[in-house]
Amino acid sequence: MPFFEPLEKLNPKHVNLERARKSLREELEAIDFYQERIDATNDETLKKILAHNMNEEKEHTAMLIEWIRKNDPTQDKVFKEHD
Ligand SMILES: [Fe+2]
């Protein structure tokens, strides 16, 4: 998905944050795809491969969240302070 505003008008730091958030959305979507296929397949070997791959996507989401927290102080703050 492209950026909505001209790239030259955007703060490069914000552009990277948007890239990370887009990637995070894609990783979360991948987890849902894998989970559905794990639930649906009746092949136990395939189920195990898909579960392994799904768990790797969960690791990817953690890596992205961590990066976002390091680069977006407000996001980091709400992780620490939310109810
Ligand atoms: Fe991934």
Side-chain angles (χ1 to χ4, degrees):
M1 186 168 62
F3 295 95
F4 294 104
E5 299 292 340
L7 200 52
E8 63 272 14
K9 288 191 163 189
L10 303 179
N11 178 331
K13 187 173 172 55
H14 298 160
V15 171
N16 278 333
L17 277 163
E18 186 168 339
R19 288 180 176 123
R21 293 187 193 108
K22 283 176 179 169
S23 293
L24 177 59
R25 290 197 289 275
E26 290 161 0
E27 299 292 354
L28 290 168
E29 188 175 56
I31 292 167
D32 285 338
F33 285 142
Y34 278 121
Q35 187 65 73
E36 283 195 26
R37 291 167 190 163
I38 291 163
D39 289 351
T41 188
N42 55 9
D43 183 308
E44 289 304 315
T45 305
L46 178 59
K47 196 183 283 280
K48 282 182 183 154
I49 292 167
L50 295 173
H52 170 84
N53 292 353
M54 179 181 71
N55 289 339
E56 286 192 349
E57 303 300 356
K58 290 180 180 179
E59 185 179 355
H60 299 165
T61 64
M63 293 164 75
L64 285 162
I65 290 167
E66 204 168 79
W67 186 92
I68 291 166
R69 288 185 68 176
K70 282 181 186 155
N71 289 278
D72 179 342
T74 305
Q75 187 69 77
D76 185 53
K77 189 168 179 267
V78 296
F79 262 97
K80 291 171 183 157
E81 295 179 357
H82 73 86
D83 294 328

